[in-house]
Amino acid sequence: MKHLSLKSPSLKEKLLEHSIRPTAQRLAIADFVLQKGRHSTAEMVQEHLKKFFPHISLATIYNTLNLFSKKGLLKEYRFPHSGHVFFDNNTQPHAHFLDENSQEIYDVPMEKVNISLKNDSFEIQDVEVLFKGTLTNKGGQSG
Amino acid sequence: MKHLSLKSPSLKEKLLEHSIRPTAQRLAIADFVLQKGRHSTAEMVQEHLKKFFPHISLATIYNTLNLFSKKGLLKEYRFPHSGHVFFDNNTQPHAHFLDENSQEIYDVPMEKVNISLKNDSFEIQDVEVLFKGTLTNKGGQSG
DNA sequence: TTCTCTTTTTAGAACTATTCTAAAATTAGA
DNA sequence: TCTAATTTTAGAATAGTTCTAAAAAGAGAA
């Protein structure tokens, strides 16, 4: 347990600010999904928490991820390469890049994306953009 | 059975051109997914075929949709509002619009979309664009 | 503290979407 | 018409997620 920053005031306060009671399980999940993993699935959370909470229930993980999403700490995404729901701790508008080699998802800041639509049939409220391809020597980026 | 254009030469030939043996089930599925439905799920195919093939197996529907995709007649998509896989008979590059009222998916021709990326980290092979919002008085469009 | 009430966690059942399995039916070609 | 390969089928299996109801934990009052 000593390896987990469960007592991190900022994390605990972050949950409280969002009216989420900071239980031990929720802090452990928050530590991973909000600070470590960028695009976490329930499975990834479970795998990561194994050493701290070997008996944590998948239901708790799903409950918590869904709660965090409802409270605005995470945003849900589905990507074409996987049946899993991904929980992204970047809740600001941004695009994604899927590396077809590693199946890894990277964030692409909207400043780098230029998108427009000639249209008179619908009112756009949101756009989801997924670039697919392969990483070059420079490596991925995020944020 | 008389309501189904099962004997349509063009449909049968289309399958043959793609090295797909035109069985009765496949023709019935093709009639729907290639000519009627734009973004079909297995469930929608089953529902539509009920009157023609009340005992068709879901496995046959999935087998056929996956075969059509492999042969290039359909393209698979996953959208954020549904856990179902959607099979799109428009296999050319295009964007999508999701009407949040009806949960209906519409095609958006790429000519209407302008997208570019300032990037030096990855080689783009494909882009998926999903606009979300509501239809205006003009109604949806496709193709 | 202790009591009580509410919230959270849990294991396992249930559910949804899809794939697998192995046997039966269909088909194509000799 | 025979044979071998392909396709279809029902139902089991699998994957991912949600539901259920009971146990545990937590918050606030007395």
Side-chain angles (χ1 to χ4, degrees), chain B:
Chain B
M1 218 72 103
K2 62 172 76 78
H3 303 292
L4 251 190
S5 52
L6 282 187
K7 315 193 189 64
S8 155
S10 65
L11 197 55
K12 189 170 179 173
E13 275 157 21
K14 196 172 196 175
L15 296 195
L16 287 170
E17 276 163 18
H18 288 79
S19 329
I20 297 166
R21 194 184 287 181
T23 65
Q25 287 91 335
R26 284 171 177 175
L27 282 168
I29 293 169
D31 177 70
F32 180 66
V33 300
L34 300 182
Q35 304 188 324
K36 296 191 175 98
R38 283 208 173 271
H39 303 92
S40 314
T41 63
E43 204 181 26
M44 287 159 71
V45 173
Q46 180 178 239
E47 174 63 24
H48 175 83
L49 288 205
K50 225 163 42 184
K51 36 189 173 322
F52 312 112
F53 280 91
H55 300 302
I56 196 168
S57 166
L58 254 183
T60 299
I61 295 174
Y62 278 107
N63 285 344
T64 301
L65 293 173
N66 289 332
L67 177 66
F68 286 8
S69 299
K70 204 176 71 185
K71 298 291 190 174
L73 288 168
L74 294 174
K75 187 156 164 23
E76 291 185 23
Y77 287 96
R78 285 170 198 269
F79 297 111
H81 68 299
S82 163
H84 282 97
V85 175
F86 287 74
F87 294 87
D88 191 344
N89 60 24
N90 179 355
T91 56
Q92 294 305 112
H94 63 284
H96 288 111
F97 170 74
L98 167 64
D99 177 14
E100 312 238 50
N101 290 142
S102 67
Q103 302 290 87
E104 192 81 29
I105 293 285
Y106 299 91
D107 281 5
V108 177
M110 272 328 248
E111 297 85 67
K112 298 206 168 187
V113 181
N114 195 294
I115 185 162
S116 68
L117 172 67
K118 266 198 267 307
N119 148 72
D120 54 2
S121 300
F122 23 82
E123 186 131 339
I124 305 301
Q125 278 144 21
D126 196 11
V127 194
E128 288 195 16
V129 178
L130 174 69
F131 297 98
K132 297 195 276 187
T134 50
L135 281 183
T136 61
N137 50 331
K138 296 286 209 75
Q141 55 192 236
S142 50

Side-chain angles (χ1 to χ4, degrees), chain A:
Chain A
M1 217 70 103
K2 63 170 77 76
H3 303 294
L4 250 191
S5 51
L6 282 188
K7 318 197 186 60
S8 155
S10 66
L11 198 53
K12 189 169 181 173
E13 276 157 21
K14 196 172 198 175
L15 296 196
L16 287 171
E17 276 164 18
H18 288 80
S19 330
I20 297 166
R21 193 185 288 181
T23 64
Q25 287 91 335
R26 285 171 176 175
L27 282 168
I29 293 169
D31 178 69
F32 180 66
V33 300
L34 300 182
Q35 303 188 325
K36 297 192 174 97
R38 282 209 171 270
H39 303 92
S40 315
T41 63
E43 204 180 25
M44 287 159 72
V45 173
Q46 179 177 240
E47 174 63 24
H48 176 83
L49 287 205
K50 226 162 45 184
K51 34 190 174 325
F52 313 111
F53 280 90
H55 299 304
I56 196 168
S57 166
L58 253 184
T60 299
I61 295 173
Y62 278 107
N63 285 344
T64 301
L65 292 174
N66 289 333
L67 177 66
F68 285 8
S69 299
K70 205 176 71 183
K71 297 292 189 177
L73 288 168
L74 295 173
K75 187 157 164 21
E76 292 185 22
Y77 286 97
R78 285 169 197 271
F79 297 112
H81 68 299
S82 163
H84 282 97
V85 175
F86 287 73
F87 294 87
D88 192 343
N89 60 26
N90 179 355
T91 56
Q92 293 305 110
H94 64 283
H96 287 111
F97 170 74
L98 167 65
D99 177 13
E100 312 239 50
N101 290 143
S102 67
Q103 303 289 88
E104 191 82 29
I105 294 283
Y106 298 91
D107 280 5
V108 177
M110 271 328 249
E111 297 85 67
K112 297 206 168 187
V113 180
N114 196 294
I115 185 161
S116 66
L117 172 67
K118 264 197 268 308
N119 148 72
D120 55 1
S121 300
F122 23 82
E123 188 130 339
I124 306 301
Q125 278 145 21
D126 196 11
V127 194
E128 287 195 15
V129 178
L130 174 69
F131 297 99
K132 297 193 276 186
T134 49
L135 282 183
T136 62
N137 50 333
K138 295 286 207 75
Q141 55 192 234
S142 51

